[in-house]
């Protein structure tokens, strides 16, 4: 089929395409403000990289949550359980493959880590399917009940995890080749943080591609905007939602593996502990927006690490402060999803 | 006389605690345009939404091609061949014109799979769509959005279109464009149920007319009869249309 048309004519009659680039400057601005406060350049680089790595992991975890809200207005306060499950699955898989993880060969490490990640995603996705069916579906359109029952569902699931893996923290050591740092002159960057940034970028690129280039992705975006119209065009929004929920759970499982490796330890409470950060991220980003979630997650990661260094006592409230500032600027978040 | 394509019998609709439709009876004959008139709040939009399954009828039957559809879900109703252009047009503002059309084309998984001939025909009806093909639909003017909404409904042949007040808020010249587009559409055997308060618009296109008031159809007949009978117009539409003519 043919693509029109004379560009000159288009410019004449339509306002120029509005690309909202302003938020893209937030990250560099944040980093630049932090530099003089921190003082040392190499410390700043290290903290910035730690923040970006943490932000990428949070993004992987939160991406599904924001779409789940955008599509069905579902507030899932149980999302953290998929993180925990993913991390414990990694403990089990990697524990059985010590021969591979303790080898200095990157390839052998990956032979262990990749299956651990896939297993975590499958398990978290499967739990997501069950969670959607028995926890979420009975409370569509009832926000208050959603909050209660998803929190309750998470408590139950965490108890089950304790039954299987125990209540104690379990170490999750990094595979040999992931350990240590790369030196760039004065500054050291931990290898694993680099890996986390790369994985985060790959996931972001994939999600972006799906949402902008595939019909399913377009349907998800259309559904975030106007559910009824998507149904009137003949598509079952319920099925779309289940797919998004399961994919989002699987991504949270992957994020759990990465978060567990980042902290090199896994506890049944780790998912719940991150829950608050997730909601800060998706509120900052604009509920339902993947681009906003990405920026929000990176900002939260940076602020967390800068504040942890500069003023450890206020590190926790620094993210809430960030959220307040963003919302004063854009009350619907960075990229409002524009509900109809 | 042939069987009606769509038939509503004693349809009641509740929205929450409110009883909105009180036994709507309506027949839409194949190949015709039926215009649904009535004052604000008469229940026209609710009737269309009930046909589409967006509200569920609490009593009565809705028959499409002989099959009862009142209990079906909206996507299933759409798959029977009903297309809906809502009052707010339902444009996906973040998506381009092209992407809006792709979602409406259920048989195409990709832009290249959309029926090129039909697209050309649509571009003929609504040239603005071609001009702004790659632009976010949210940037279109009201009239252009309305054209996109109608084009989306007919990107694939559908036996029945439900269109809610397409002339609302549009300048007369744009309305004239829409009228010619609907005229051409009528040549294609498409059956249309049109909600319209603008009697001037309605009379130029409608074959039949039904007038609603207070959740019921209070008059049904041919458009020609209504147009020829000033007294009847006065009686039925005096209240609702004085301000629109
Ligand atoms: N979501 C809703 N909740 C409660 N009442 C509603 C709702 N939608 C419509 N109504 C009521 O139902 C009645 C019929 O509304 P409807 O929108 O069907 O009228 P209409 O004929 O389309 O009017 P208009 O010409 O203004 O579009 C009105 O009294 C309206 O207030
Ligand atoms: Mg209406």
């Amino acid at each position: 089929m043919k693509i029109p048309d004379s560009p000159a004519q288009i410019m004449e009659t339509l306002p120029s395409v509005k690309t909202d680039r302003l938020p893209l400057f937030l990250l560099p601005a944040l980093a630049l403000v932090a530099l003089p406060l921190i003082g040392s350049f190499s410390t700043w680089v290290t903290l910035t990289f730690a923040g970006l790595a943490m932000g990428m992991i949070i993004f992987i975890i939160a991406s599904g949550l924001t779409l789940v809200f955008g599509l069905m207005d579902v507030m899932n306060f149980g999302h953290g359980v998929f993180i925990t499950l993913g991390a414990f699955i990694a403990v089990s898989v990697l524990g059985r493959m010590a021969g591979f993880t303790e080898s200095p060969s990157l390839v052998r490490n990956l032979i262990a880590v990749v299956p651990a990640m896939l297993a975590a995603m499958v398990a978290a996705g499967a739990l997501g399917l069950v969670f959607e069916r028995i926890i979420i579906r009975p409370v569509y359109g009832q926000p208050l009940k959603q909050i209660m029952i998803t929190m309750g569902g998470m408590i139950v699931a965490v108890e089950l995890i304790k039954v299987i893996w125990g209540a104690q923290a379990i170490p999750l050591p990094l595979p040999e080749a992931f350990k240590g740092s790369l030196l760039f002159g004065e500054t050291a960057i931990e290898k694993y943080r680099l890996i986390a940034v790369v994985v985060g970028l790959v996931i972001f690129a994939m999600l972006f591609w799906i949402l902008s280039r595939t019909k399913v992705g377009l349907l998800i975006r259309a559904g975030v905007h106007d559910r009824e119209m998507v149904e009137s065009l003949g598509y079952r929004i319920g099925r779309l939602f289940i797919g998004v929920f399961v994919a989002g759970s699987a991504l949270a499982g992957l994020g759990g593996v990465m978060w567990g490796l980042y902290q090199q330890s896994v506890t049944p409470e780790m998912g719940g502990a991150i829950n608050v950060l997730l909601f800060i991220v998706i509120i900052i980003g604009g509920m339902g927006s993947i681009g906003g979630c990405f920026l929000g997650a990176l900002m939260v990661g940076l602020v967390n690490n800068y504040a942890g260094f500069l003023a450890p006592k206020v590190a926790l409230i620094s993210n809430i402060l960030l959220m307040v500032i963003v919302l004063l600027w854009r009350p619907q978040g960075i990229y409002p999803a524009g509900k109809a | 006389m042939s069987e009606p394509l769509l038939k509503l019998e004693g349809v009641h609709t509740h929205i929450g605690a409110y009883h909105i439709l009180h036994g709507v009876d309506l027949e839409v004959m194949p190949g015709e345009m039926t215009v649904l008139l009535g004052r604000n709040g008469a229940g026209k939009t609710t009737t269309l939404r009930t046909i589409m399954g967006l509200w569920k009828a609490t009593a009565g039957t809705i028959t499409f091609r002989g099959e009862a559809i009142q209990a079906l879900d909206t996507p299933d109703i759409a798959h029977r061949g009903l297309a809906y252009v809502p009052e707010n047009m339902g444009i996906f503002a973040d998506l381009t014109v092209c992407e809006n059309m792709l979602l409406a084309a259920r048989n195409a998984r990709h832009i290249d799979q959309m029926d090129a001939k039909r697209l050309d025909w649509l571009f003929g009806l609504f040239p603005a769509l071609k001009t702004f093909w790659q632009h976010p639909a949210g940037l279109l003017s009201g009239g252009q959005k309305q054209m996109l909404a109608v084009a989306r409904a007919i990107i694939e042949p559908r036996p029945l279109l439900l269109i809610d007040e397409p002339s609302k808020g549009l300048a007369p010249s744009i309305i004239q464009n829409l009228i010619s587009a609907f005229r051409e559409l009528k040549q294609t055997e498409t059956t249309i149920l049109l909600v319209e308060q603008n009697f001037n618009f309605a009379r130029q296109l409608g074959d039949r007319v039904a007038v609603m008031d207070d959740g019921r159809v209070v008059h049904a007949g041919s458009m020609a009869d209504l147009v020829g009978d000033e007294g009847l117009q006065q009686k039925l539409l005096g209240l609702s249309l004085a301000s629109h003519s």
Side-chain angles (χ1 to χ4, degrees):
Chain A
M1 65 154 267
K2 297 173 286 182
I3 300 293
D5 213 315
S6 130
Q9 185 191 356
I10 292 173
M11 296 319 287
E12 232 173 88
T13 42
L14 212 64
S16 64
V17 180
K18 187 187 80 200
T19 41
D20 188 1
R21 291 220 178 78
L22 202 54
L24 299 181
F25 295 106
L26 285 175
L27 282 177
L30 195 61
L32 283 180
V33 168
L35 179 55
L37 295 175
I38 292 165
S40 147
F41 181 71
S42 68
T43 309
W44 175 77
V45 171
T46 304
L47 287 174
T48 302
F49 240 88
L52 291 179
M54 180 180 170
M56 289 291 181
I57 296 174
I58 295 178
F59 164 72
I60 293 171
I61 294 169
S63 54
L65 193 61
T66 197
L67 287 180
V68 158
F69 178 82
L71 213 47
M72 293 297 258
D73 293 330
V74 165
M75 291 287 256
N76 179 13
F77 280 86
H79 198 64
V81 73
F82 306 122
I83 304 171
T84 312
L85 179 65
F88 275 97
I89 293 282
V91 164
S92 291
V93 174
L94 294 178
R96 281 177 183 73
M97 300 182 84
F100 287 90
T101 57
E102 284 162 12
S103 154
S105 146
L106 178 64
V107 174
R108 282 181 73 80
N109 289 173
L110 288 177
I111 288 175
V113 170
V114 171
M117 286 179 164
L118 290 178
M121 291 177 78
V122 169
L127 180 63
L129 194 62
V130 175
F131 209 83
E132 197 277 337
R133 211 350 88 99
I134 63 176
I135 306 262
I136 308 271
R137 205 175 295 178
V139 291
Y140 278 147
Q142 300 168 289
L144 211 63
K145 284 192 184 164
Q146 272 166 18
I147 295 173
M148 314 279 279
I149 198 168
T150 55
M151 283 178 145
M154 173 146 129
I155 292 170
V156 171
V158 166
E159 289 307 314
L160 288 176
I161 285 173
K162 285 182 188 168
V163 169
I164 301 173
W165 282 281
Q168 311 302 321
I170 302 179
L172 183 60
L174 280 171
E176 276 308 309
F178 291 25
K179 289 179 182 166
S181 305
L182 297 178
L183 270 180
F184 297 92
E186 297 271 287
T187 56
I189 294 176
E190 283 183 29
K191 283 186 203 162
Y192 181 64
R193 291 180 182 164
L194 211 57
I195 292 172
V197 169
V198 171
V199 173
L201 285 175
V202 168
I203 299 279
F204 178 65
M206 274 171 54
L207 288 176
F208 196 81
W209 181 82
I210 290 171
L211 289 173
S212 58
R213 290 281 178 277
T214 69
K215 191 161 179 178
V216 163
L218 293 177
L219 278 173
I220 292 169
R221 281 166 62 206
V224 167
H225 189 76
D226 188 341
R227 207 181 301 164
E228 282 189 343
M229 196 61 222
V230 169
E231 296 224 281
S232 299
L233 291 176
Y235 303 95
R236 297 190 163 279
I237 203 103
R239 285 197 196 153
L240 203 59
F241 177 75
I242 294 172
V244 168
F245 197 93
V246 168
S249 309
L251 282 177
L254 171 64
V257 179
M258 297 182 64
W259 188 237
L261 286 170
Y262 190 86
Q263 299 194 309
Q264 304 198 31
S265 144
V266 165
T267 72
E269 286 78 28
M270 63 185 284
I274 249 183
N275 241 349
V276 180
L277 277 191
L278 299 183
F279 277 91
I280 292 178
V281 163
I282 68 175
I283 290 169
I284 287 180
M287 316 268 287
S289 155
I290 280 290
C293 177
F294 186 66
L295 280 181
L298 293 184
M299 278 164 58
V300 163
L302 285 180
V303 165
N304 223 55
N305 279 273
Y306 292 149
F309 176 80
L310 292 170
K313 280 185 187 145
V314 299
L316 201 69
I317 59 166
S318 63
N319 285 304
I320 296 178
L321 206 63
L322 175 70
M323 178 171 77
V324 170
I325 293 171
V326 169
L327 293 187
L328 284 176
W329 174 48
R330 292 197 174 171
Q332 304 288 315
I334 297 175
Y335 288 123
K339 292 212 158 231
Chain B
M1 206 166 89
S2 56
E3 281 288 296
L5 183 67
L6 178 80
K7 191 171 181 181
L8 280 71
E9 291 168 286
V11 169
H12 288 252
T13 299
H14 290 75
I15 304 178
Y18 302 98
H19 192 171
I20 309 289
L21 299 187
H22 300 264
V24 171
D25 298 308
L26 181 68
E27 291 189 351
V28 176
M29 302 308 287
E32 292 189 346
M33 179 186 274
T34 302
V35 180
L36 199 54
L37 295 166
R39 62 179 178 78
N40 291 109
K44 307 180 294 294
T45 297
T46 306
T47 302
L48 293 196
R49 286 179 59 88
T50 306
I51 296 169
M52 259 340 262
L54 293 166
W55 300 129
K56 286 280 176 264
T58 39
T61 55
I62 304 174
T63 319
F64 179 69
R65 287 179 159 168
E67 180 195 11
I69 60 166
Q70 73 274 3
L72 298 181
D73 290 335
T74 300
D76 292 326
I77 293 171
H79 277 272
R80 298 294 190 275
L82 285 83
Y84 178 44
V85 180
E87 212 166 0
N88 69 6
M89 299 177 282
I91 297 300
F92 306 124
D94 292 346
L95 305 192
T96 63
V97 170
C98 165
E99 289 164 343
N100 268 274
M101 296 291 277
L102 175 62
L103 293 192
R106 284 200 288 272
N107 294 325
R109 309 210 80 224
H110 192 263
I111 299 162
D112 303 329
Q113 293 168 350
M114 282 196 273
D115 183 343
K117 258 181 145 166
R118 191 146 177 112
L119 271 182
D120 269 342
W121 174 67
L122 286 170
F123 289 154
L125 286 181
F126 306 117
L129 298 187
K130 189 172 176 183
T131 312
F132 302 128
W133 190 239
Q134 297 289 359
H135 284 250
L139 297 183
L140 298 178
S141 72
Q144 291 162 347
K145 279 186 187 145
Q146 192 59 256
M147 291 171 189
L148 173 58
V150 173
R152 218 171 45 172
I154 55 178
I155 176 74
E156 288 167 346
R158 307 273 184 242
L160 178 61
L161 300 189
L162 312 175
I163 309 179
D164 201 345
E165 286 204 62
S167 72
K168 197 164 145 189
L170 300 187
S173 63
I174 311 278
I175 295 184
Q176 216 47 53
N177 282 351
L178 269 184
I179 291 179
S180 16
F182 283 137
R183 280 228 172 86
E184 201 173 325
L185 190 55
K186 282 179 67 176
Q187 311 292 317
T188 64
E189 301 284 289
T190 308
T191 308
I192 302 176
L193 174 58
L194 179 80
V195 165
E196 191 48 69
Q197 299 223 36
N198 182 331
F199 189 56
N200 213 8
F201 184 155
R203 65 191 289 175
Q204 295 185 51
L205 290 164
D207 302 300
R208 268 160 209 287
V209 59
V211 182
M212 288 192 75
D213 194 21
D214 206 11
R216 288 181 190 82
V217 172
V218 293
H219 168 86
S222 80
M223 180 62 87
D225 287 349
L226 184 61
V227 168
D229 188 339
E230 295 247 349
L232 191 60
Q233 277 178 47
Q234 199 62 38
K235 176 171 160 260
L236 291 170
L237 310 172
L239 278 172
S240 63
L241 293 168
S243 55
H244 288 269
S245 48

